[in-house]
Amino acid sequence: MSYDLTLYKSNKGFPDLSEAEELEAEAVNNEEIAVTSPDFEGSSYFVHDIPCLPILNKMSRELETEEAEITSEDRIVLRFPYHHTGADAEAFFAKIKIYLEELADCGGYFVYDPQIGKAFDPKETAFDWVDMYEKGAQMMEEISSEEF
C-alpha cells in the first residue's frame, strides 16, 4: 500500500476533479505498458520523452518513492510508502510539495489526490495530506502487527 498522487496535464488549463477522475478511469482501462520504476533512468522500457525526468529522478532518490507509473507524458502516478509519522510526516510532505511545485513549473502538471478526492495546482493550493497519510501509516502498522 502507498499514498498515491497523480500528476496530470489538464486539457482545460486548470485543475478539474471530474477531468482528473476521467483520466484515471481511462488509464485503468488502458492496456498500454506503463513504466514503473523507483529510478526512471534505470528503466529498460521508456518510450516517453518526459522533460521533467531529472526532477522526477531527484525526487525518487530523495523521497524513496515506492514506484512511479508513467503511461504518457500527460500522466505520472507517484507512490509514496507509509514510513513517516508526526513531525517526520510533515517534513516529508513539505519536501513533496517542493517537488510538485517544480514539476508544475517544468511540465505544467496539476495534481490529483484520490485519497482526499481533490485536483489542484500545487503552486496555489495549501496541502492537507498529513492526516490522511498518517491514517494510512497507522493502518499499515496495524496490518503488519496482526498475527496470521
Side-chain angles (χ1 to χ4, degrees), residues 59-115:
M59 181 187 66
S60 178
R61 286 188 295 274
E62 182 180 349
L63 301 180
E64 300 174 4
T65 53
E66 196 165 278
E67 71 176 5
E69 174 185 298
I70 301 173
T71 52
S72 74
E73 182 182 339
D74 297 334
R75 181 183 171 274
I76 302 170
V77 179
L78 304 171
R79 293 189 170 95
F80 300 98
Y82 287 111
H83 294 292
H84 308 279
T85 58
D88 189 34
E90 290 178 21
F92 181 67
F93 273 99
K95 289 178 185 177
I96 291 173
K97 180 184 185 316
I98 291 167
Y99 280 110
L100 293 178
E101 289 172 349
E102 288 181 28
L103 290 163
D105 284 338
C106 173
Y109 293 104
F110 295 112
V111 178
Y112 169 57
D113 183 337
Q115 287 85 193

Side-chain angles (χ1 to χ4, degrees), residues 2-148:
S2 59
Y3 196 97
D4 300 349
L5 296 173
T6 300
L7 304 174
Y8 76 99
K9 292 185 180 181
S10 172
N11 292 324
K12 296 179 179 184
F14 57 87
D16 180 78
L17 181 59
S18 62
E19 179 184 33
E21 290 173 336
E22 286 175 24
L23 290 170
E24 284 298 295
E26 287 174 16
V28 169
N29 295 324
N30 187 351
E31 294 183 12
E32 178 181 343
I33 297 173
V35 175
T36 57
S37 171
D39 182 356
F40 302 101
E41 290 173 350
S43 176
S44 60
Y45 176 79
F46 193 82
V47 296
H48 304 288
D49 183 20
I50 307 295
C52 303
L53 192 59
I55 297 169
L56 288 166
N57 283 321
K58 184 178 175 192
M59 181 187 66
S60 178
R61 286 188 295 274
E62 182 180 349
L63 301 180
E64 300 174 4
T65 53
E66 196 165 278
E67 71 176 5
E69 174 185 298
I70 301 173
T71 52
S72 74
E73 182 182 339
D74 297 334
R75 181 183 171 274
I76 302 170
V77 179
L78 304 171
R79 293 189 170 95
F80 300 98
Y82 287 111
H83 294 292
H84 308 279
T85 58
D88 189 34
E90 290 178 21
F92 181 67
F93 273 99
K95 289 178 185 177
I96 291 173
K97 180 184 185 316
I98 291 167
Y99 280 110
L100 293 178
E101 289 172 349
E102 288 181 28
L103 290 163
D105 284 338
C106 173
Y109 293 104
F110 295 112
V111 178
Y112 169 57
D113 183 337
Q115 287 85 193
I116 61 174
K118 291 184 181 177
F120 55 89
D121 184 336
K123 298 182 297 182
E124 297 178 5
T125 302
F127 297 85
D128 56 359
W129 297 323
V130 176
D131 287 341
M132 183 64 71
Y133 177 85
E134 285 190 321
K135 287 176 187 174
Q138 182 180 22
M139 187 171 59
M140 290 301 295
E141 187 176 309
E142 289 170 6
I143 290 170
S144 66
S145 67
E146 289 179 3
E147 292 184 42
F148 291 95

